[in-house]
Amino acid sequence: MTSAFRTLTVPLDEESFPGGLPSFLVRDDLLCWTRREAGLVGFGEVARFTATGPDRFLEADIWWRHLVLEAEIEDAVDWPGTGPVAFGSFAFSKASTHESRLIVPEIVVGLRDGRGWLTQLTFDDGELTEAGARAALDRWLGTPGVVPAGEDLAADPAVVEQRGATLHTGSLSEADWMAAVAAGVAEIRTGALEKLVLARDIVATVPAGVNAAEILRQLALRYRECWTYGVDGLVGATPEMLIQVEGRTAQARVLAGTLDRRDADGMAGSPLEFAERVLAGSEKQRHEHDIAIQSLTTQLAPFSEAMNAHSEPFILELPNVWHLASDVKAELTEVEGHVPTCLALINALHPTAAVCGTPTTVAGALIRKLEHLDRGPYAGPVGWLDAAGNGEWGIALRGAVIESPETVRLYAGCGVVEGSVPEAELAETWAKFRPMLESLGISS
């Protein structure tokens, strides 16, 4: 291996994407970041960085910047997500033993705004050519065991029910988790904190085997408004964007306030009218949402010369739930002569009130006391970045970790405020488990 990191990016025509990027979700070991039909899919691995602890974001940032600084980049597309790209997943907690990681793939396929591309990344000395890059992609797609070429992978989102699949209690039983919620409400009522986010886990056993590629295809097709992610066994479809950076523009999507779509059954008016009445008209839900927005904008402000956040949240419609959502847009300012990188922004923003609570320090300590759970990568940043500073990083929600060929650990959490009721919060976790359970073929 040489010290030179080299990449070649060439255009791909529309014929390469008969079903959009979901048609490339054919391997369990791929790297994935898609929304609607666009995004990035990575195959193979040429480099990896891992870290734990409070400096994991900054250490990863330094590693990536050093890697791309001397890279030899040939890019005929010059678009966000072209050239050198790394996919990443970071632990939620600085105290977690779970390793945060950046992974540089061998091959990246990208699609955005009707423009497609193929990037080959290497440390080898051999010449990089378009023919060689296409041949490398064909090798990854043609490996035995993948879906046969020519089949429209995006045509049918039907899930095959998994017979014999079972669910098991995770770190806490339902009763113990509801007791933790009650304890959190009691702490909030003392004035120690305003909001607390408590998560729980369950374990699914699938005797027929876990097919990560099928899970990702199901999520990408059913949850088109979410960002479907797959990084090293972490899979899911998040509705929440922690930070998206393109040039000097940063954007985020903040969610807080959830309503199960099944609750609308039999109610007067249209389902959306019901959601607006229950979510937007709820003082508890609005308070929880306001806390989340304030948390993000306060943490982003030092890096911004201008910021725009909608004063009124909108209703985000997903197949399983409705959310109160707000989009935030900021123009980044130079800090010490440089526009902050994605990972520098993540270091400042994470964890937000949407996944931890507020004040963050108090909420984080209470999470460790009440959850009895190492969240690992759940609720941590997941996404990608390129050498130009562009990137998209969601919060790893509505997801799971594939722990073995037959077992998957699912995670879900709820925002707890003074008016929270433990039984209602437990029901909300089941609504949030539903995307992963459905993609596994398990009835919920």
PDB file of all heavy atoms in Angstrom, residues 91 100 195 239 252 283 288 294 331 334 368 384 421-422:
ATOM      1  N   ALA A  91     -20.910   6.744  18.298  1.00  0.00           N
ATOM      2  CA  ALA A  91     -21.619   6.386  19.525  1.00  0.00           C
ATOM      3  C   ALA A  91     -22.366   7.591  20.070  1.00  0.00           C
ATOM      4  O   ALA A  91     -21.892   8.725  19.983  1.00  0.00           O
ATOM      5  CB  ALA A  91     -20.640   5.858  20.568  1.00  0.00           C
ATOM      6  N   SER A 100     -16.820   4.398  17.636  1.00  0.00           N
ATOM      7  CA  SER A 100     -17.262   5.253  16.538  1.00  0.00           C
ATOM      8  C   SER A 100     -16.343   5.006  15.357  1.00  0.00           C
ATOM      9  O   SER A 100     -15.181   4.631  15.522  1.00  0.00           O
ATOM     10  CB  SER A 100     -17.215   6.715  16.961  1.00  0.00           C
ATOM     11  OG  SER A 100     -18.062   6.932  18.069  1.00  0.00           O
ATOM     12  N   LYS A 195     -36.434  18.568  30.146  1.00  0.00           N
ATOM     13  CA  LYS A 195     -36.779  17.446  29.266  1.00  0.00           C
ATOM     14  C   LYS A 195     -35.729  16.354  29.405  1.00  0.00           C
ATOM     15  O   LYS A 195     -34.539  16.624  29.593  1.00  0.00           O
ATOM     16  CB  LYS A 195     -36.852  17.913  27.810  1.00  0.00           C
ATOM     17  CG  LYS A 195     -37.137  16.793  26.808  1.00  0.00           C
ATOM     18  CD  LYS A 195     -37.082  17.296  25.371  1.00  0.00           C
ATOM     19  CE  LYS A 195     -37.284  16.155  24.375  1.00  0.00           C
ATOM     20  NZ  LYS A 195     -37.225  16.620  22.980  1.00  0.00           N
ATOM     21  N   PRO A 239     -35.928  10.055  10.450  1.00  0.00           N
ATOM     22  CA  PRO A 239     -36.608  11.246   9.951  1.00  0.00           C
ATOM     23  C   PRO A 239     -35.922  12.541  10.378  1.00  0.00           C
ATOM     24  O   PRO A 239     -36.381  13.625  10.025  1.00  0.00           O
ATOM     25  CB  PRO A 239     -37.981  11.133  10.613  1.00  0.00           C
ATOM     26  CG  PRO A 239     -37.696  10.467  11.923  1.00  0.00           C
ATOM     27  CD  PRO A 239     -36.540   9.533  11.681  1.00  0.00           C
ATOM     28  N   ALA A 252     -30.799  21.653   9.006  1.00  0.00           N
ATOM     29  CA  ALA A 252     -31.140  20.611   9.971  1.00  0.00           C
ATOM     30  C   ALA A 252     -32.653  20.430   9.974  1.00  0.00           C
ATOM     31  O   ALA A 252     -33.399  21.359   9.640  1.00  0.00           O
ATOM     32  CB  ALA A 252     -30.651  20.977  11.371  1.00  0.00           C
ATOM     33  N   GLU A 283     -50.228  21.407  24.327  1.00  0.00           N
ATOM     34  CA  GLU A 283     -49.232  22.232  25.027  1.00  0.00           C
ATOM     35  C   GLU A 283     -47.990  21.401  25.341  1.00  0.00           C
ATOM     36  O   GLU A 283     -46.855  21.882  25.211  1.00  0.00           O
ATOM     37  CB  GLU A 283     -49.830  22.794  26.309  1.00  0.00           C
ATOM     38  CG  GLU A 283     -48.875  23.716  27.063  1.00  0.00           C
ATOM     39  CD  GLU A 283     -49.516  24.313  28.310  1.00  0.00           C
ATOM     40  OE1 GLU A 283     -50.760  24.238  28.450  1.00  0.00           O
ATOM     41  OE2 GLU A 283     -48.762  24.845  29.144  1.00  0.00           O
ATOM     42  N   GLU A 288     -42.307  20.392  24.187  1.00  0.00           N
ATOM     43  CA  GLU A 288     -41.207  19.482  23.878  1.00  0.00           C
ATOM     44  C   GLU A 288     -40.503  19.904  22.589  1.00  0.00           C
ATOM     45  O   GLU A 288     -39.269  19.891  22.496  1.00  0.00           O
ATOM     46  CB  GLU A 288     -41.740  18.051  23.752  1.00  0.00           C
ATOM     47  CG  GLU A 288     -40.662  17.021  23.461  1.00  0.00           C
ATOM     48  CD  GLU A 288     -41.226  15.622  23.270  1.00  0.00           C
ATOM     49  OE1 GLU A 288     -42.385  15.370  23.647  1.00  0.00           O
ATOM     50  OE2 GLU A 288     -40.491  14.784  22.707  1.00  0.00           O
ATOM     51  N   GLN A 294     -34.857  25.208  20.361  1.00  0.00           N
ATOM     52  CA  GLN A 294     -33.997  26.132  21.086  1.00  0.00           C
ATOM     53  C   GLN A 294     -32.613  25.533  21.302  1.00  0.00           C
ATOM     54  O   GLN A 294     -31.588  26.218  21.179  1.00  0.00           O
ATOM     55  CB  GLN A 294     -34.628  26.484  22.437  1.00  0.00           C
ATOM     56  CG  GLN A 294     -33.857  27.531  23.237  1.00  0.00           C
ATOM     57  CD  GLN A 294     -33.793  28.866  22.515  1.00  0.00           C
ATOM     58  OE1 GLN A 294     -34.772  29.299  21.913  1.00  0.00           O
ATOM     59  NE2 GLN A 294     -32.639  29.525  22.566  1.00  0.00           N
ATOM     60  N   GLU A 331     -26.288  30.069   7.421  1.00  0.00           N
ATOM     61  CA  GLU A 331     -25.103  30.363   6.627  1.00  0.00           C
ATOM     62  C   GLU A 331     -23.906  30.358   7.572  1.00  0.00           C
ATOM     63  O   GLU A 331     -23.871  31.131   8.536  1.00  0.00           O
ATOM     64  CB  GLU A 331     -25.235  31.709   5.922  1.00  0.00           C
ATOM     65  CG  GLU A 331     -26.277  31.728   4.822  1.00  0.00           C
ATOM     66  CD  GLU A 331     -26.000  30.691   3.732  1.00  0.00           C
ATOM     67  OE1 GLU A 331     -24.830  30.626   3.281  1.00  0.00           O
ATOM     68  OE2 GLU A 331     -26.932  29.954   3.354  1.00  0.00           O
ATOM     69  N   GLU A 334     -16.833  31.967   9.115  1.00  0.00           N
ATOM     70  CA  GLU A 334     -15.489  31.451   9.326  1.00  0.00           C
ATOM     71  C   GLU A 334     -15.126  31.529  10.801  1.00  0.00           C
ATOM     72  O   GLU A 334     -15.381  32.529  11.467  1.00  0.00           O
ATOM     73  CB  GLU A 334     -14.477  32.239   8.502  1.00  0.00           C
ATOM     74  CG  GLU A 334     -14.575  31.994   7.002  1.00  0.00           C
ATOM     75  CD  GLU A 334     -13.435  32.616   6.232  1.00  0.00           C
ATOM     76  OE1 GLU A 334     -12.582  33.276   6.873  1.00  0.00           O
ATOM     77  OE2 GLU A 334     -13.388  32.455   5.000  1.00  0.00           O
ATOM     78  N   ARG A 368     -27.957   7.859  32.078  1.00  0.00           N
ATOM     79  CA  ARG A 368     -27.064   6.784  32.527  1.00  0.00           C
ATOM     80  C   ARG A 368     -27.606   6.101  33.767  1.00  0.00           C
ATOM     81  O   ARG A 368     -27.450   4.886  33.941  1.00  0.00           O
ATOM     82  CB  ARG A 368     -25.661   7.347  32.782  1.00  0.00           C
ATOM     83  CG  ARG A 368     -24.936   7.777  31.514  1.00  0.00           C
ATOM     84  CD  ARG A 368     -23.484   8.097  31.789  1.00  0.00           C
ATOM     85  NE  ARG A 368     -23.341   9.323  32.577  1.00  0.00           N
ATOM     86  CZ  ARG A 368     -23.270  10.536  32.053  1.00  0.00           C
ATOM     87  NH1 ARG A 368     -23.356  10.698  30.738  1.00  0.00           N
ATOM     88  NH2 ARG A 368     -23.114  11.601  32.824  1.00  0.00           N
ATOM     89  N   TRP A 384     -22.405  10.750   6.052  1.00  0.00           N
ATOM     90  CA  TRP A 384     -21.234  10.753   5.174  1.00  0.00           C
ATOM     91  C   TRP A 384     -20.642  12.147   5.079  1.00  0.00           C
ATOM     92  O   TRP A 384     -21.295  13.138   5.402  1.00  0.00           O
ATOM     93  CB  TRP A 384     -21.596  10.260   3.765  1.00  0.00           C
ATOM     94  CG  TRP A 384     -22.578  11.150   3.043  1.00  0.00           C
ATOM     95  CD1 TRP A 384     -23.938  11.069   3.078  1.00  0.00           C
ATOM     96  CD2 TRP A 384     -22.262  12.291   2.214  1.00  0.00           C
ATOM     97  NE1 TRP A 384     -24.502  12.072   2.323  1.00  0.00           N
ATOM     98  CE2 TRP A 384     -23.514  12.827   1.766  1.00  0.00           C
ATOM     99  CE3 TRP A 384     -21.086  12.883   1.792  1.00  0.00           C
ATOM    100  CZ2 TRP A 384     -23.574  13.949   0.930  1.00  0.00           C
ATOM    101  CZ3 TRP A 384     -21.148  13.997   0.954  1.00  0.00           C
ATOM    102  CH2 TRP A 384     -22.391  14.506   0.535  1.00  0.00           C
ATOM    103  N   VAL A 421     -46.862  10.615  30.477  1.00  0.00           N
ATOM    104  CA  VAL A 421     -47.513   9.483  31.140  1.00  0.00           C
ATOM    105  C   VAL A 421     -46.771   8.217  30.723  1.00  0.00           C
ATOM    106  O   VAL A 421     -46.648   7.937  29.523  1.00  0.00           O
ATOM    107  CB  VAL A 421     -48.999   9.382  30.746  1.00  0.00           C
ATOM    108  CG1 VAL A 421     -49.645   8.158  31.374  1.00  0.00           C
ATOM    109  CG2 VAL A 421     -49.735  10.658  31.123  1.00  0.00           C
ATOM    110  N   PRO A 422     -46.246   7.425  31.659  1.00  0.00           N
ATOM    111  CA  PRO A 422     -45.419   6.273  31.301  1.00  0.00           C
ATOM    112  C   PRO A 422     -46.069   5.318  30.312  1.00  0.00           C
ATOM    113  O   PRO A 422     -45.416   4.847  29.376  1.00  0.00           O
ATOM    114  CB  PRO A 422     -45.156   5.598  32.654  1.00  0.00           C
ATOM    115  CG  PRO A 422     -45.183   6.735  33.637  1.00  0.00           C
ATOM    116  CD  PRO A 422     -46.251   7.655  33.129  1.00  0.00           C
TER     117      PRO A 422
END
